[in-house]
Amino acid sequence: MSTKVFNLPDLGEGLTESEISSWRVAEGDVVEVNQVLADVETAKAVVELSSPYAGTIRSLHAAEGETVDVGAPVITFDLGGTDDDGSDEEDGGRVPTLVGYGSAPDKGRPARRARRGTSGPTSAAAATAQTEPPAADAAQALRPADEAGRSGERPRSTPPVRLFAKQNGVDLEQVSGSGAGGVITRADVEAVLADGTATPAQGPRAAGSDSTGQSTATRTLGGRPRTETVPVKGVRKATAQAMVSSAFTAPHVTEFLQVDVTETMELLAELKASRDYRDVKLTPMTLAAKACLVAMERTPDVNARWDEQAGAIVQQNFVNLGFAAATPRGLMVPNVKDAQAMSLTELADAIRELTGRAREGGLSPAELSGGTFTLTNVGVFGIDAGTPIINPGEGAILAIGQVRRMPWEYRGEIALREVMTLSLSFDHRFVDGEQGSRFLADVGAILRRPGLTLTMV
């Protein structure tokens, strides 16, 4: 019976690692070629990992929530669908293999962590040679969690469960595991927290009291632990790296412009009430996006990019319009390809569709790459203005603030008008102040008097 080891492939764009978001299979499952094995979160999107083989899942080399380097083993297959060691998979005889990763001294690649009391492999290749635990280790793995605690070994659980227990002050030595082989699950930890029997994993805190006599040590924000460590990975890690790179590479200049957008808001209301746009999701950002596309016809420099290697400016005569979308995974910036060729309805539909899939984690890496200009709407959070950081590889980003009803000079008198603040950041290496100012002024003019668009196209 032959075995095949499936190493994590490069899922696109030269990414070096991915996180196992969720497994779709378990050890002992029989799978077909191209069957989805897992949902894998990269720095850009959640993608499905498909099987290159038909056979039986012999072992999974990473737990859900674990980050795996590209090229490291993720699954070992038995080809043919049966074990060659005579074990009975249908009666639950197979015990989950809980593994971790560490740096191998010879190649620097992740290797499977050795079980306690055994010699661990020193490379990723050696890690896959031993796919079943020795009999002694298997017997130890089947002991209840409390027996493992008394023997001095760490209770069996996955890295995310250990982190969850640590964050909530639960000592895993005191938790009984309900998983296969006595493995402690997240539900086991939650059950301990629910019945109030959690034993602190750390020593007692020094507690004081306020004027009412209530302990200050037990009063925290949102009832959460006093401190929490949140791993930075996936989208948040990529965003942090990109923003640092952009902020310290591209010389940013930010300009602001307050605009009376009363006529634009009136136009928006009219469009929503019309039959042609009744089913179209139109927002102030949609109209601002269209204004940007029109203004780029006169100032295409803000849509260019800087080629560091060639020492040249690359003029892009198409617009892949990016827009910032807040999602549970962090800030994502999908982009509408060839937005310059779209009607207002097409643009609105594209933004709505991409926003929905971004929140569901269903975007492809291609939809998150190749942007040329970005629009971000800070107004939805009740914010007027900011200094947005340019997306790496782009020349400018425009932030639109909330629409405020405020006193404003109108036709020689003071009147209550709808006012918005625009904030444009641009790369001063190739966008001069004159170009950035002209573009911002044109966007403002269109939003001030939408009818002016007819004079610009």
Side-chain angles (χ1 to χ4, degrees), residues 217-340:
T218 60
R219 226 177 40 233
T220 60
L221 297 175
R224 296 185 293 271
R226 292 181 68 81
T227 61
E228 295 180 272
T229 300
V230 180
V232 179
K233 53 189 176 181
V235 171
R236 294 187 188 278
K237 181 178 180 180
T239 300
Q241 293 172 340
M243 293 299 97
V244 170
S245 175
S246 177
F248 289 97
T249 301
H252 283 55
V253 172
T254 303
E255 295 184 338
F256 304 91
L257 179 65
Q258 278 193 313
V259 182
D260 178 355
V261 295
T262 305
E263 290 188 22
T264 287
M265 298 307 293
E266 291 172 348
L267 172 63
L268 185 62
E270 291 177 6
L271 291 175
K272 288 182 176 180
S274 70
R275 179 179 303 174
D276 292 339
Y277 290 91
R278 185 172 302 164
D279 298 324
V280 180
K281 183 176 175 58
L282 293 177
T283 66
M285 193 184 83
T286 314
L287 299 186
K290 193 64 176 178
C292 288
L293 295 170
V294 173
M296 280 180 196
E297 294 283 351
R298 290 160 54 101
T299 313
D301 308 86
V302 297
N303 191 56
R305 66 179 176 85
W306 179 266
D307 189 332
E308 185 68 39
Q309 292 185 342
I313 300 170
V314 179
Q315 188 66 57
Q316 300 168 133
N317 298 317
F318 63 92
V319 184
N320 289 345
L321 183 66
F323 57 94
T327 76
R329 298 173 58 223
L331 185 68
M332 305 185 78
V333 187
N335 60 81
V336 179
K337 309 296 185 187
D338 285 315
Q340 81 287 345

Side-chain angles (χ1 to χ4, degrees), residues 415-445:
L416 285 176
R417 305 288 287 177
E418 306 283 353
V419 178
M420 173 191 288
T421 301
L422 306 176
S423 310
L424 178 72
S425 292
F426 53 86
D427 189 335
H428 211 357
R429 289 177 296 183
F430 59 96
V431 181
D432 296 334
E434 182 267 338
Q435 297 162 331
S437 299
R438 184 172 64 225
F439 173 78
L440 185 59
D442 281 348
V443 173

Side-chain angles (χ1 to χ4, degrees), residues 29 40 106 112 153 161 167 222 226 261 343 347 369 386 388 429 438 442:
D29 286 356
V40 180
D106 55 347
R112 293 188 61 183
E153 294 191 8
V161 171
Q167 291 173 343
R226 292 181 68 81
V261 295
S343 66
L347 184 61
S369 305
R429 289 177 296 183
R438 184 172 64 225
D442 281 348

